[in-house]
Amino acid sequence: MVLEKKKLQHVKARVGLVLDISGSMRSLYKNGTVQKVVERILAVASQFDDDGSLDVWVYDNEYSRLKPVTELDFTDYVNTYILNNPLIHKFGRNDEPPVMEDVIAKYTVDDRSPDPAFIVFINDGGCKRTIKKPIVSSSDKAIFWQFVGIGNSNFEVLEKLDTMEGRYVDNANFFHIEDIEKIQDNELYDKLLNEFPAWIKEAHEKNILL
């Protein structure tokens, strides 16, 4: 298993999923790709989290913090709780910082815990440069950001994460998958968890994690 390979089998963590729901993502919601993403990330959450729940956000130029998804209700989650939910703003422009600030608020204020939060952030390109502020401000918090670019757009901002200055620890990673449906589970989880172990080690050394 990937968790053993990464020496993460004894790590407890809360897992969050942030989904881009800007206009360019419309077809990926309609054709079931986003539902498959939710199911595959839920599998990670079920390994890390005692209750096996996955916290979910969606964002375009607004954002919504959704009902967590579990193994009991993941079937048709995207249609039921996102596409058919009239309260969710959908298919507008993308604006990442507000949803990132809400993620930080959840794990540092609303729902504090000694366990780290592992955030999978799905974006199909054109990420705002202003994401630097929440990434830097959360670099001394127990939050790790794993950005995943899907499709063929411009990921220039995310590609520069590793050289972003001003952080207490390196708390973010990025990789790009052209077609998320074609990648095997083992390869996907290997990429998702590539930098998380190093962050956990450094976070312990710098007393972010006890």
Side-chain angles (χ1 to χ4, degrees):
M1 279 298 295
V2 172
L3 289 187
E4 290 174 16
K5 178 181 167 187
K6 303 286 188 186
K7 296 186 169 56
L8 291 169
Q9 66 268 40
H10 302 302
V11 170
K12 274 184 65 185
R14 296 177 293 170
V15 182
L17 176 63
V18 182
L19 294 165
D20 184 345
I21 197 167
S22 60
S24 55
M25 289 283 292
R26 186 188 297 265
S27 64
L28 296 177
Y29 277 88
K30 303 285 189 188
N31 70 13
T33 297
V34 174
Q35 173 66 31
K36 289 183 179 129
V37 169
V38 169
E39 292 171 10
R40 293 174 87 174
I41 305 306
L42 177 61
V44 175
S46 68
Q47 297 294 314
F48 276 135
D49 201 323
D50 280 353
D51 63 6
S53 69
L54 174 65
D55 299 321
V56 183
W57 286 260
V58 292
Y59 80 96
D60 53 2
N61 46 295
E62 299 182 18
Y63 70 85
S64 299
R65 191 192 295 189
L66 303 182
K67 172 186 177 297
V69 59
T70 71
E71 291 179 348
L72 299 176
D73 60 6
F74 71 87
T75 305
D76 216 33
Y77 179 89
V78 168
N79 279 331
T80 304
Y81 296 103
I82 300 176
L83 294 179
N84 296 331
N85 184 342
L87 300 177
I88 291 177
H89 198 270
K90 307 172 187 74
F91 309 128
R93 302 179 316 279
N94 61 302
D95 185 13
E96 289 78 20
V99 71
M100 294 175 73
E101 295 291 355
D102 193 61
V103 170
I104 295 167
K106 174 178 170 60
Y107 294 116
T108 63
V109 179
D110 307 342
D111 189 17
R112 295 183 66 173
S113 160
D115 299 329
F118 177 73
I119 310 302
V120 180
F121 200 112
I122 306 286
N123 169 267
D124 75 338
C127 221
K128 289 205 166 176
R129 295 184 187 283
T130 44
I131 67 167
K132 178 174 180 181
K133 184 171 180 237
I135 289 175
V136 169
S137 73
S138 63
S139 66
D140 62 349
K141 310 285 193 295
I143 298 173
F144 183 82
W145 304 90
Q146 177 59 67
F147 290 89
V148 182
I150 57 176
N152 297 302
S153 293
N154 175 5
F155 297 103
E156 180 190 0
V157 173
L158 295 174
E159 285 165 351
K160 293 179 177 174
L161 280 179
D162 277 340
T163 56
M164 185 182 289
E165 296 178 345
R167 291 180 288 171
Y168 188 58
V169 297
D170 179 352
N171 60 337
N173 186 40
F174 167 72
F175 66 91
H176 172 224
I177 300 174
E178 203 163 303
D179 186 345
I180 201 159
E181 293 208 55
K182 288 185 178 170
I183 187 169
Q184 296 295 314
D185 281 348
N186 265 7
E187 185 184 354
L188 175 63
Y189 299 142
D190 195 63
K191 287 176 178 290
L192 279 171
L193 300 170
N194 187 39
E195 287 197 13
F196 190 45
W199 174 81
I200 286 178
K201 182 173 183 288
E202 191 175 3
H204 277 298
E205 287 168 355
K206 296 197 171 178
N207 296 318
I208 296 170
L209 296 175
L210 301 175

